[in-house]
Amino acid sequence: MSLRTELLKSVWYAFTSLDTEKSGKVSKSQLKVLSHNLYTVLCIPHDPVALEDHFRDDDDGPVSSQGYMPYLNQYILDKVIEGTFVKESFHELCWTLTAKKNYRPAGTPLANTDAFRLWCLFNYLSEDTYPLIMVPDEVQYLLQKLLATARMETGEVELGDVLSQMGQGISVWQFLELVNSPAIMRGINGETMSMAIQDLYEEIIQDVLKQGYLLKKANLRRTWTERWFVLKPSTLCYYVSEECKEKKGSITIDKDCGVEVLPDRDGRRCIFCVKTATKTHEISASDTKHRQEWVSAIQTAIRLHQSGSRSLHRELQSKRREQREQREQRRLAREQEMQRLTELQSERERQQQELDQLREAQRKAENAMKQEQQRHKEQQEEMQRQLTEQLREAEEARASMQAEMQMKETEAVRQRQRIVELEKLQEHLQEALTQEIKARRDEEEYRHAQAKLLIQEEEKLRVLLKMREEQTQYVERAQREKQELQQEMEQKNKELQEAQQQLEDVRENRERADRDVQVAQKKLYQASTNVRHWNVQMNRLMHPISPGEKRIASAGGFQGIWGVSLTRRDSSLKRLQALDDKDPKQSKESNNLESTI
């Protein structure tokens, strides 16, 4: 399906939602608003004045879908460039317009997001004819994938009963009502169904072939890091987590890429690599099964590029459509064959009726001949009795009778030839009937072979479902292990926070001790300054007293003693200061010693 066809399907819903009177026409003012919104969401530059002039109110009245299509094609769809706009926003605009007037669910409705995604899936798989419908085969395919994604099993008979009531197809609103019906929602809660719809939307609409956690080897540091990988037909992107908010890189997938399984090494198991034209990316899976699934998915993406296909589900949809067409052709051929056999049987019955009529005519002719012979015998006896009297008349009558007998015999010969021809025709009809019986037997043999193939396909499907259940169990076990690791990490973080708090307390004690040392040093400095001041004053007082030698000696002795005391005091103060610099914890002893000095 081309981009134009995909966009036209959504625009058709928006146009029909504006047709409130079901007349097939929409007012120009509404079409002007719709066109403006389409320009905006498709990121197409336009002239508002030209738009206003084109949809100016006049006497023409509302516009039909055929009248709006030329403008839609020429001014909007022809200017659309893929990749310049967000498709989901465009579809969401059309869904909002059509859901307000058409989507009225009964009972517990689906969430608006789930209903929107189902609407997109319906448009993706619907036929390219209007009004849009989905054939029963596509409905069965979509429901089976939806229930399989939700890990539910629905009996084929029950699903067949639901599909048998659809006829040639259903609309999107009937499809939404069917998904929300008890026959489908029985045993499935809303959250499970929402997750299944999201997974199916990502797989079919967004072309996500596979996604999950893997270990990737860095190109520079060569370390292994866990990343969330998302595989699409053209790229293999990897993110920090499954929210896909922080993208760490991507690997371009093209027809020249290759994927290869590597042996275990460096303590890593289940390794494989993706080779591009410039790099080789090494990746490790959790187990062998997981690795094989990823390798198969990447090979599928490479195969799509090699075959020129852009979407796996588009290719599968085309194959399903071809199979439906082939089944229809075989059905028509069987009907034609049955009609031909019916005509042949009718022809045979008609020929049999003609043969019966010919036999009846032959029997009547034989009876008439016998009666004629009896009558002729009586006439001969009468003629013999009257031989002498009517000899001449008898001879004439005898000649006449002989001529008549010859004619009768000629007619009998022709009748016998006709009977021989009819018997040959009956033999040909018998041969045709034998060939018909043989053809029916061959058809029965083909049907038995087809039944065997269906049984084998069901066996493979059961094996696939069993593998899916094992995968689910493994994912649940991995989630439990992940929760245990998270609890252990939370415990480690708590212990680390306690250690950091203790370190902060030690730092605060040390800073308080440093402040005490600074205060002590300041006091020591003030004390030493006071001592020097008083020492200078003392020296000044000692100089004027010098009348005699004895006094001088006394003064010198007193000054020497005082100088020695000051020298000892200075050396003690220096030693205390050095001890404070080495060990701040002795600041309190230094203060006591300072006060003593």
Coordinates of all heavy atoms in Angstrom, one line a residue, residues 75-157:
Y75 N -3.5 19.7 -4.2 CA -2.9 20.7 -3.3 C -2.4 20.1 -2.0 O -1.7 20.8 -1.2 CB -3.9 21.8 -3.0 CG -4.3 22.6 -4.1 CD1 -5.5 22.4 -4.9 CD2 -3.5 23.7 -4.6 CE1 -5.8 23.1 -6.0 CE2 -3.8 24.4 -5.7 CZ -5.0 24.2 -6.4 OH -5.3 24.9 -7.5
I76 N -2.8 18.9 -1.7 CA -2.3 18.3 -0.4 C -1.5 17.0 -0.6 O -0.3 16.9 -0.3 CB -3.5 18.0 0.5 CG1 -4.3 19.3 0.8 CG2 -3.1 17.3 1.8 CD1 -5.5 19.1 1.7
L77 N -2.1 16.0 -1.2 CA -1.5 14.7 -1.3 C -0.3 14.7 -2.2 O 0.7 14.0 -2.0 CB -2.5 13.6 -1.7 CG -3.6 13.3 -0.7 CD1 -4.5 12.2 -1.2 CD2 -3.1 13.0 0.7
D78 N -0.4 15.5 -3.3 CA 0.8 15.6 -4.2 C 2.0 16.3 -3.6 O 3.1 16.1 -4.1 CB 0.4 16.3 -5.5 CG -0.6 15.5 -6.4 OD1 -0.7 14.3 -6.1 OD2 -1.2 16.0 -7.3
K79 N 1.8 17.0 -2.6 CA 2.9 17.8 -1.9 C 3.4 17.1 -0.7 O 4.3 17.6 0.0 CB 2.4 19.2 -1.5 CG 2.0 20.0 -2.7 CD 1.5 21.4 -2.3 CE 1.1 22.2 -3.5 NZ 0.7 23.6 -3.1
V80 N 2.8 15.9 -0.3 CA 3.3 15.2 0.9 C 4.6 14.6 0.6 O 4.8 13.9 -0.4 CB 2.2 14.2 1.3 CG1 2.8 13.3 2.4 CG2 1.0 14.8 1.8
I81 N 5.5 14.7 1.5 CA 6.9 14.1 1.5 C 7.0 13.2 2.7 O 6.9 13.6 3.8 CB 8.0 15.1 1.4 CG1 7.8 16.1 0.2 CG2 9.3 14.4 1.4 CD1 8.8 17.2 0.2
E82 N 7.2 11.9 2.4 CA 7.4 10.9 3.5 C 8.6 11.2 4.3 O 9.7 11.5 3.8 CB 7.4 9.5 3.0 CG 7.3 8.5 4.0 CD 7.1 7.1 3.5 OE1 7.1 6.9 2.2 OE2 6.9 6.1 4.3
G83 N 8.4 11.2 5.6 CA 9.5 11.5 6.6 C 9.6 12.9 7.1 O 10.3 13.2 8.0
T84 N 8.8 13.8 6.5 CA 8.7 15.2 6.9 C 7.6 15.5 8.0 O 7.5 16.6 8.5 CB 8.5 16.1 5.8 OG1 7.3 15.8 5.1 CG2 9.7 16.0 4.8
F85 N 6.8 14.5 8.2 CA 5.7 14.6 9.2 C 5.6 13.4 10.0 O 6.1 12.3 9.7 CB 4.4 15.0 8.5 CG 3.9 13.8 7.7 CD1 2.9 12.9 8.1 CD2 4.4 13.6 6.4 CE1 2.5 11.9 7.4 CE2 3.9 12.6 5.6 CZ 3.0 11.7 6.1
V86 N 4.9 13.5 11.1 CA 4.6 12.3 12.0 C 3.3 11.7 11.6 O 2.2 12.3 11.8 CB 4.6 12.8 13.5 CG1 4.4 11.6 14.4 CG2 5.9 13.5 13.8
K87 N 3.4 10.4 11.1 CA 2.2 9.7 10.7 C 1.2 9.6 11.8 O 0.0 9.7 11.6 CB 2.6 8.4 10.1 CG 3.2 8.4 8.8 CD 3.4 7.0 8.2 CE 4.0 7.1 6.8 NZ 4.2 5.7 6.3
E88 N 1.7 9.3 13.0 CA 0.8 9.0 14.1 C 0.0 10.3 14.4 O -1.2 10.1 14.8 CB 1.6 8.6 15.3 CG 0.7 8.1 16.5 CD 1.6 7.5 17.6 OE1 2.8 7.3 17.4 OE2 1.0 7.1 18.6
S89 N 0.6 11.5 14.3 CA -0.2 12.7 14.6 C -1.3 12.9 13.5 O -2.4 13.3 13.8 CB 0.7 13.9 14.6 OG 1.7 13.7 15.6
F90 N -1.0 12.6 12.3 CA -2.0 12.7 11.2 C -3.1 11.7 11.4 O -4.3 12.1 11.4 CB -1.3 12.4 9.8 CG -2.3 12.2 8.7 CD1 -2.8 13.3 8.1 CD2 -2.6 10.9 8.3 CE1 -3.7 13.1 7.1 CE2 -3.5 10.7 7.3 CZ -4.1 11.9 6.6
H91 N -2.8 10.4 11.7 CA -3.9 9.5 12.0 C -4.7 9.8 13.2 O -5.9 9.6 13.3 CB -3.3 8.1 12.1 CG -2.7 7.6 10.8 ND1 -3.3 7.5 9.6 CD2 -1.5 7.1 10.6 CE1 -2.6 7.0 8.7 NE2 -1.4 6.7 9.3
E92 N -4.0 10.4 14.2 CA -4.7 10.8 15.4 C -5.7 11.9 15.2 O -6.8 11.9 15.8 CB -3.7 11.2 16.5 CG -4.3 11.3 17.9 CD -3.2 11.5 19.0 OE1 -2.0 11.5 18.6 OE2 -3.6 11.6 20.1
L93 N -5.3 12.8 14.3 CA -6.3 13.9 13.9 C -7.5 13.4 13.3 O -8.6 13.7 13.7 CB -5.6 14.9 13.0 CG -6.5 15.9 12.3 CD1 -7.0 16.9 13.3 CD2 -5.7 16.7 11.2
C94 N -7.3 12.5 12.3 CA -8.5 11.9 11.6 C -9.3 11.0 12.6 O -10.6 11.0 12.5 CB -8.0 11.0 10.4 SG -7.2 12.0 9.2
W95 N -8.6 10.3 13.5 CA -9.4 9.5 14.5 C -10.2 10.4 15.4 O -11.3 10.0 15.8 CB -8.4 8.6 15.3 CG -8.9 8.1 16.6 CD1 -8.6 8.6 17.9 CD2 -9.8 7.1 16.8 NE1 -9.3 7.9 18.8 CE2 -10.1 6.9 18.2 CE3 -10.5 6.2 15.9 CZ2 -10.9 6.0 18.7 CZ3 -11.4 5.3 16.5 CH2 -11.6 5.2 17.8
T96 N -9.7 11.5 15.9 CA -10.4 12.4 16.7 C -11.7 12.9 16.1 O -12.7 13.0 16.7 CB -9.5 13.6 17.1 OG1 -8.3 13.1 17.7 CG2 -10.2 14.5 18.1
L97 N -11.6 13.2 14.8 CA -12.8 13.7 14.1 C -13.8 12.6 13.9 O -15.0 12.9 14.1 CB -12.4 14.2 12.7 CG -11.5 15.5 12.7 CD1 -11.1 15.8 11.2 CD2 -12.3 16.7 13.3
T98 N -13.4 11.4 13.6 CA -14.4 10.3 13.3 C -14.9 9.7 14.6 O -16.0 9.2 14.7 CB -13.8 9.3 12.4 OG1 -14.8 8.4 12.0 CG2 -12.7 8.5 13.0
A99 N -14.1 9.6 15.7 CA -14.5 8.9 16.9 C -15.5 9.7 17.7 O -16.4 9.0 18.3 CB -13.2 8.7 17.8
K100 N -15.5 11.0 17.5 CA -16.5 11.8 18.3 C -18.0 11.4 17.9 O -18.9 11.5 18.7 CB -16.3 13.3 18.1 CG -15.0 13.8 18.8 CD -14.8 15.3 18.6 CE -13.6 15.8 19.4 NZ -13.4 17.2 19.1
K101 N -18.1 11.1 16.6 CA -19.5 10.9 16.1 C -19.8 9.4 15.8 O -21.0 9.1 15.6 CB -19.6 11.7 14.8 CG -19.5 13.2 15.0 CD -19.7 14.0 13.7 CE -19.6 15.5 13.9 NZ -19.8 16.2 12.7
N102 N -18.8 8.6 15.7 CA -19.1 7.2 15.3 C -18.8 6.2 16.4 O -19.4 5.1 16.4 CB -18.3 6.8 14.0 CG -18.7 7.7 12.9 OD1 -19.9 7.8 12.5 ND2 -17.7 8.3 12.2
Y103 N -17.8 6.5 17.3 CA -17.4 5.5 18.2 C -18.2 5.6 19.5 O -18.0 6.5 20.3 CB -15.9 5.6 18.5 CG -15.4 4.6 19.5 CD1 -15.6 3.2 19.3 CD2 -14.6 4.9 20.6 CE1 -15.1 2.3 20.2 CE2 -14.1 4.0 21.5 CZ -14.4 2.7 21.2 OH -13.9 1.7 22.1
R104 N -19.2 4.7 19.7 CA -20.1 4.7 20.9 C -20.1 3.3 21.4 O -21.0 2.5 21.1 CB -21.5 5.2 20.5 CG -21.5 6.6 20.0 CD -23.0 7.0 19.7 NE -23.0 8.4 19.3 CZ -22.9 8.8 18.0 NH1 -22.7 7.8 17.1 NH2 -23.0 10.1 17.7
P105 N -19.1 2.9 22.2 CA -19.0 1.5 22.6 C -20.0 1.2 23.7 O -20.4 2.1 24.5 CB -17.6 1.4 23.2 CG -17.3 2.8 23.6 CD -17.9 3.7 22.6
A106 N -20.4 0.0 23.7 CA -21.4 -0.5 24.8 C -20.6 -1.2 25.9 O -19.6 -1.9 25.6 CB -22.4 -1.5 24.1
G107 N -21.1 -1.1 27.1 CA -20.4 -1.7 28.2 C -19.2 -1.0 28.6 O -19.1 0.3 28.6
T108 N -18.2 -1.7 29.0 CA -16.9 -1.1 29.4 C -16.1 -0.9 28.2 O -15.6 -1.8 27.5 CB -16.1 -2.1 30.4 OG1 -16.9 -2.4 31.5 CG2 -14.8 -1.4 30.8
P109 N -15.9 0.4 27.8 CA -15.2 0.7 26.5 C -13.7 0.5 26.7 O -13.1 0.5 27.8 CB -15.5 2.2 26.3 CG -15.7 2.7 27.6 CD -16.3 1.6 28.5
L110 N -13.0 0.4 25.5 CA -11.6 0.3 25.5 C -11.0 1.7 25.7 O -11.7 2.7 25.5 CB -11.1 -0.2 24.1 CG -11.4 -1.6 23.8 CD1 -11.1 -1.9 22.3 CD2 -10.6 -2.6 24.7
A111 N -9.8 1.8 26.2 CA -9.2 3.1 26.4 C -9.1 3.8 25.0 O -9.0 3.1 24.0 CB -7.8 3.0 27.0
N112 N -9.0 5.1 25.0 CA -9.0 5.9 23.7 C -7.7 5.5 22.9 O -7.8 5.4 21.7 CB -9.1 7.4 24.0 CG -9.1 8.2 22.7 OD1 -10.1 8.0 21.9 ND2 -8.1 9.0 22.5
T113 N -6.6 5.4 23.6 CA -5.4 5.0 23.0 C -5.5 3.6 22.3 O -5.0 3.4 21.2 CB -4.2 5.0 23.9 OG1 -4.1 6.3 24.6 CG2 -2.9 4.8 23.2
D114 N -6.1 2.6 23.0 CA -6.2 1.3 22.5 C -7.2 1.3 21.3 O -6.9 0.6 20.3 CB -6.7 0.3 23.6 CG -5.7 0.2 24.7 OD1 -4.5 0.5 24.5 OD2 -6.2 -0.1 25.8
A115 N -8.3 2.0 21.4 CA -9.2 2.1 20.3 C -8.5 2.8 19.1 O -8.8 2.3 17.9 CB -10.4 2.9 20.7
F116 N -7.7 3.8 19.3 CA -7.0 4.4 18.2 C -6.1 3.5 17.5 O -6.0 3.4 16.3 CB -6.3 5.7 18.7 CG -5.3 6.2 17.8 CD1 -5.6 6.8 16.6 CD2 -3.9 6.1 18.1 CE1 -4.7 7.3 15.7 CE2 -2.9 6.6 17.2 CZ -3.3 7.2 16.0
R117 N -5.3 2.7 18.3 CA -4.4 1.8 17.7 C -5.1 0.7 16.9 O -4.6 0.2 15.9 CB -3.5 1.2 18.8 CG -2.5 2.2 19.4 CD -1.8 1.7 20.6 NE -0.8 2.7 21.0 CZ -0.1 2.6 22.2 NH1 -0.4 1.6 23.0 NH2 0.8 3.5 22.5
L118 N -6.2 0.2 17.5 CA -7.0 -0.8 16.7 C -7.5 -0.2 15.4 O -7.6 -0.9 14.4 CB -8.1 -1.4 17.6 CG -7.7 -2.3 18.8 CD1 -8.9 -2.6 19.6 CD2 -7.1 -3.6 18.2
W119 N -7.9 1.0 15.5 CA -8.4 1.7 14.2 C -7.3 1.8 13.2 O -7.5 1.5 12.0 CB -8.9 3.1 14.6 CG -9.4 3.9 13.5 CD1 -10.6 3.9 12.9 CD2 -8.7 5.0 12.9 NE1 -10.7 4.8 11.9 CE2 -9.5 5.6 11.9 CE3 -7.4 5.6 13.1 CZ2 -9.2 6.7 11.1 CZ3 -7.1 6.7 12.4 CH2 -7.9 7.2 11.4
C120 N -6.1 2.1 13.6 CA -4.9 2.1 12.7 C -4.6 0.7 12.1 O -4.4 0.6 11.0 CB -3.7 2.6 13.4 SG -3.8 4.4 13.9
L121 N -4.7 -0.3 13.0 CA -4.5 -1.7 12.5 C -5.6 -2.1 11.5 O -5.3 -2.8 10.5 CB -4.5 -2.7 13.7 CG -3.3 -2.6 14.7 CD1 -3.6 -3.4 15.9 CD2 -2.0 -3.0 14.0
F122 N -6.8 -1.7 11.8 CA -7.9 -2.0 10.8 C -7.6 -1.4 9.5 O -7.8 -2.0 8.4 CB -9.2 -1.5 11.4 CG -10.4 -1.8 10.5 CD1 -11.1 -3.0 10.7 CD2 -10.8 -0.9 9.6 CE1 -12.2 -3.2 9.9 CE2 -11.9 -1.2 8.7 CZ -12.6 -2.3 8.9
N123 N -7.3 -0.1 9.5 CA -7.0 0.6 8.2 C -5.8 0.0 7.5 O -5.8 -0.1 6.2 CB -6.7 2.1 8.5 CG -7.9 2.8 9.0 OD1 -9.0 2.4 8.8 ND2 -7.7 4.0 9.6
Y124 N -4.8 -0.5 8.2 CA -3.7 -1.1 7.6 C -4.0 -2.4 6.9 O -3.5 -2.7 5.8 CB -2.6 -1.4 8.7 CG -1.3 -1.8 8.2 CD1 -0.3 -0.9 8.0 CD2 -1.0 -3.2 8.1 CE1 1.0 -1.3 7.5 CE2 0.3 -3.6 7.6 CZ 1.2 -2.7 7.3 OH 2.5 -3.1 6.9
L125 N -4.9 -3.2 7.5 CA -5.3 -4.5 6.9 C -6.6 -4.5 6.1 O -6.9 -5.6 5.6 CB -5.4 -5.5 8.0 CG -4.1 -5.8 8.9 CD1 -4.4 -6.8 10.0 CD2 -3.0 -6.3 8.0
S126 N -7.2 -3.4 6.0 CA -8.5 -3.4 5.3 C -8.3 -3.3 3.8 O -7.1 -3.1 3.3 CB -9.3 -2.1 5.7 OG -8.6 -0.9 5.3
E127 N -9.3 -3.6 3.0 CA -9.2 -3.6 1.6 C -9.2 -2.2 1.1 O -9.6 -1.3 1.7 CB -10.4 -4.4 1.0 CG -10.5 -5.8 1.4 CD -9.3 -6.6 0.9 OE1 -9.0 -6.5 -0.3 OE2 -8.7 -7.3 1.7
D128 N -8.7 -2.0 -0.2 CA -8.5 -0.7 -0.8 C -9.7 -0.3 -1.5 O -9.7 0.4 -2.6 CB -7.3 -0.7 -1.7 CG -6.0 -1.0 -1.0 OD1 -6.0 -0.8 0.2 OD2 -5.0 -1.4 -1.6
T129 N -10.9 -0.6 -1.0 CA -12.2 -0.2 -1.6 C -13.0 0.5 -0.6 O -12.9 0.3 0.6 CB -13.0 -1.5 -2.1 OG1 -13.2 -2.4 -1.0 CG2 -12.2 -2.2 -3.2
Y130 N -13.9 1.4 -1.0 CA -14.7 2.2 -0.2 C -16.1 1.9 -0.3 O -16.6 1.6 -1.4 CB -14.4 3.7 -0.4 CG -13.0 4.2 -0.2 CD1 -12.1 4.1 -1.2 CD2 -12.6 4.6 1.1 CE1 -10.8 4.5 -1.0 CE2 -11.3 5.0 1.3 CZ -10.4 4.9 0.3 OH -9.1 5.3 0.6
P131 N -16.9 1.8 0.8 CA -16.5 2.0 2.2 C -15.5 0.9 2.7 O -15.6 -0.2 2.2 CB -17.8 2.0 3.0 CG -18.7 1.2 2.1 CD -18.3 1.5 0.7
L132 N -14.6 1.3 3.6 CA -13.6 0.4 4.0 C -14.1 -0.7 4.8 O -14.9 -0.5 5.8 CB -12.5 1.2 4.9 CG -11.7 2.3 4.1 CD1 -10.9 3.0 5.1 CD2 -10.9 1.6 3.0
I133 N -13.7 -1.9 4.5 CA -14.1 -3.1 5.2 C -12.9 -4.0 5.3 O -11.9 -3.9 4.6 CB -15.3 -3.9 4.6 CG1 -14.9 -4.4 3.2 CG2 -16.5 -3.1 4.5 CD1 -15.8 -5.3 2.5
M134 N -13.0 -5.0 6.3 CA -11.9 -6.0 6.5 C -12.6 -7.3 6.2 O -13.6 -7.7 6.8 CB -11.3 -5.9 7.9 CG -10.1 -6.8 8.1 SD -9.5 -6.9 9.8 CE -8.9 -5.2 9.9
V135 N -11.9 -8.1 5.4 CA -12.5 -9.4 5.0 C -12.3 -10.4 6.2 O -11.4 -10.2 7.1 CB -11.8 -10.0 3.8 CG1 -12.1 -9.1 2.6 CG2 -10.3 -10.1 4.0
P136 N -13.1 -11.4 6.3 CA -13.0 -12.3 7.5 C -11.7 -13.0 7.7 O -11.2 -13.2 8.8 CB -14.1 -13.4 7.2 CG -15.1 -12.7 6.3 CD -14.3 -11.8 5.5
D137 N -10.9 -13.2 6.6 CA -9.6 -13.8 6.8 C -8.7 -12.9 7.5 O -7.9 -13.3 8.4 CB -9.0 -14.2 5.4 CG -9.7 -15.3 4.7 OD1 -10.4 -16.0 5.5 OD2 -9.6 -15.5 3.5
E138 N -8.7 -11.6 7.1 CA -7.8 -10.6 7.8 C -8.3 -10.4 9.3 O -7.5 -10.2 10.2 CB -7.8 -9.3 7.1 CG -7.2 -9.3 5.7 CD -5.7 -9.6 5.7 OE1 -5.1 -9.3 6.7 OE2 -5.2 -10.2 4.8
V139 N -9.6 -10.4 9.5 CA -10.1 -10.3 10.9 C -9.6 -11.5 11.7 O -9.2 -11.3 12.9 CB -11.6 -10.2 10.9 CG1 -12.2 -10.2 12.3 CG2 -12.1 -9.0 10.2
Q140 N -9.7 -12.7 11.2 CA -9.2 -13.9 11.9 C -7.7 -13.8 12.2 O -7.3 -14.1 13.3 CB -9.5 -15.1 11.1 CG -9.1 -16.4 11.8 CD -9.5 -17.6 10.9 OE1 -9.9 -17.5 9.8 NE2 -9.2 -18.8 11.5
Y141 N -6.9 -13.3 11.2 CA -5.5 -13.2 11.3 C -5.2 -12.2 12.4 O -4.3 -12.4 13.3 CB -4.9 -12.7 10.0 CG -3.4 -12.3 10.1 CD1 -2.4 -13.2 10.2 CD2 -3.1 -10.9 10.1 CE1 -1.1 -12.8 10.3 CE2 -1.8 -10.5 10.2 CZ -0.8 -11.4 10.3 OH 0.5 -11.0 10.4
L142 N -5.9 -11.0 12.4 CA -5.6 -10.0 13.4 C -6.0 -10.4 14.8 O -5.3 -10.2 15.8 CB -6.3 -8.7 13.1 CG -6.1 -7.4 13.9 CD1 -4.6 -7.1 13.9 CD2 -6.8 -6.2 13.4
L143 N -7.2 -11.1 15.0 CA -7.6 -11.5 16.3 C -6.7 -12.6 16.8 O -6.4 -12.6 18.0 CB -9.1 -12.0 16.2 CG -10.2 -11.0 15.9 CD1 -11.5 -11.6 15.8 CD2 -10.2 -9.9 17.1
Q144 N -6.3 -13.5 16.0 CA -5.4 -14.6 16.4 C -4.1 -14.0 16.9 O -3.6 -14.4 18.0 CB -5.2 -15.6 15.3 CG -6.4 -16.5 15.0 CD -6.1 -17.5 13.9 OE1 -5.1 -17.3 13.2 NE2 -7.0 -18.4 13.7
K145 N -3.5 -13.0 16.2 CA -2.3 -12.4 16.7 C -2.5 -11.6 18.0 O -1.7 -11.6 18.9 CB -1.7 -11.5 15.6 CG -1.1 -12.2 14.4 CD -0.3 -11.2 13.5 CE 0.9 -10.7 14.2 NZ 1.9 -11.7 14.5
L146 N -3.7 -11.0 18.1 CA -4.0 -10.2 19.3 C -4.1 -11.1 20.5 O -3.5 -10.8 21.6 CB -5.2 -9.4 19.1 CG -5.7 -8.5 20.2 CD1 -4.6 -7.4 20.5 CD2 -7.0 -7.8 19.9
L147 N -4.8 -12.2 20.3 CA -5.0 -13.2 21.5 C -3.7 -13.9 21.8 O -3.4 -14.2 22.9 CB -6.1 -14.2 21.1 CG -7.5 -13.5 21.0 CD1 -8.5 -14.6 20.5 CD2 -7.9 -12.9 22.3
A148 N -2.9 -14.2 20.7 CA -1.6 -14.8 21.0 C -0.7 -13.9 21.7 O 0.1 -14.3 22.6 CB -1.0 -15.3 19.7
T149 N -0.7 -12.6 21.4 CA 0.1 -11.6 22.1 C -0.3 -11.5 23.5 O 0.5 -11.3 24.4 CB 0.1 -10.3 21.4 OG1 0.4 -10.4 20.0 CG2 1.0 -9.3 22.0
A150 N -1.6 -11.6 23.8 CA -2.2 -11.5 25.2 C -2.0 -12.8 25.9 O -2.5 -13.0 27.0 CB -3.6 -11.1 25.1
R151 N -1.4 -13.8 25.3 CA -1.1 -15.2 25.9 C -2.5 -15.9 26.2 O -2.6 -16.5 27.2 CB -0.3 -15.1 27.2 CG 1.0 -14.3 27.0 CD 2.0 -15.0 26.1 NE 3.3 -14.5 26.1 CZ 3.7 -13.5 25.4 NH1 2.8 -13.0 24.5 NH2 4.9 -13.0 25.5
M152 N -3.4 -15.7 25.3 CA -4.7 -16.4 25.4 C -4.9 -17.3 24.3 O -4.4 -17.1 23.2 CB -5.8 -15.4 25.5 CG -5.8 -14.5 26.7 SD -6.1 -15.4 28.3 CE -7.7 -16.0 28.0
E153 N -5.7 -18.4 24.5 CA -6.0 -19.4 23.5 C -7.5 -19.4 23.3 O -8.3 -19.6 24.3 CB -5.5 -20.8 23.8 CG -4.0 -20.8 23.9 CD -3.5 -22.2 24.2 OE1 -4.4 -23.1 24.3 OE2 -2.3 -22.5 24.3
T154 N -8.0 -19.2 22.1 CA -9.5 -19.3 21.8 C -9.7 -20.4 20.8 O -8.9 -20.6 19.9 CB -9.9 -17.9 21.2 OG1 -9.7 -16.9 22.1 CG2 -11.4 -18.0 20.9
G155 N -10.7 -21.2 21.1 CA -11.0 -22.3 20.3 C -11.3 -21.9 18.8 O -11.9 -20.9 18.6
E156 N -10.9 -22.8 17.9 CA -11.1 -22.5 16.5 C -12.6 -22.5 16.2 O -13.1 -21.7 15.4 CB -10.4 -23.5 15.6 CG -8.9 -23.4 15.7 CD -8.2 -24.3 14.7 OE1 -9.0 -25.1 14.0 OE2 -7.0 -24.4 14.7
V157 N -13.4 -23.4 16.8 CA -14.8 -23.4 16.6 C -15.5 -22.2 17.1 O -16.3 -21.6 16.4 CB -15.4 -24.7 17.3 CG1 -16.9 -24.7 17.1 CG2 -14.8 -25.9 16.7

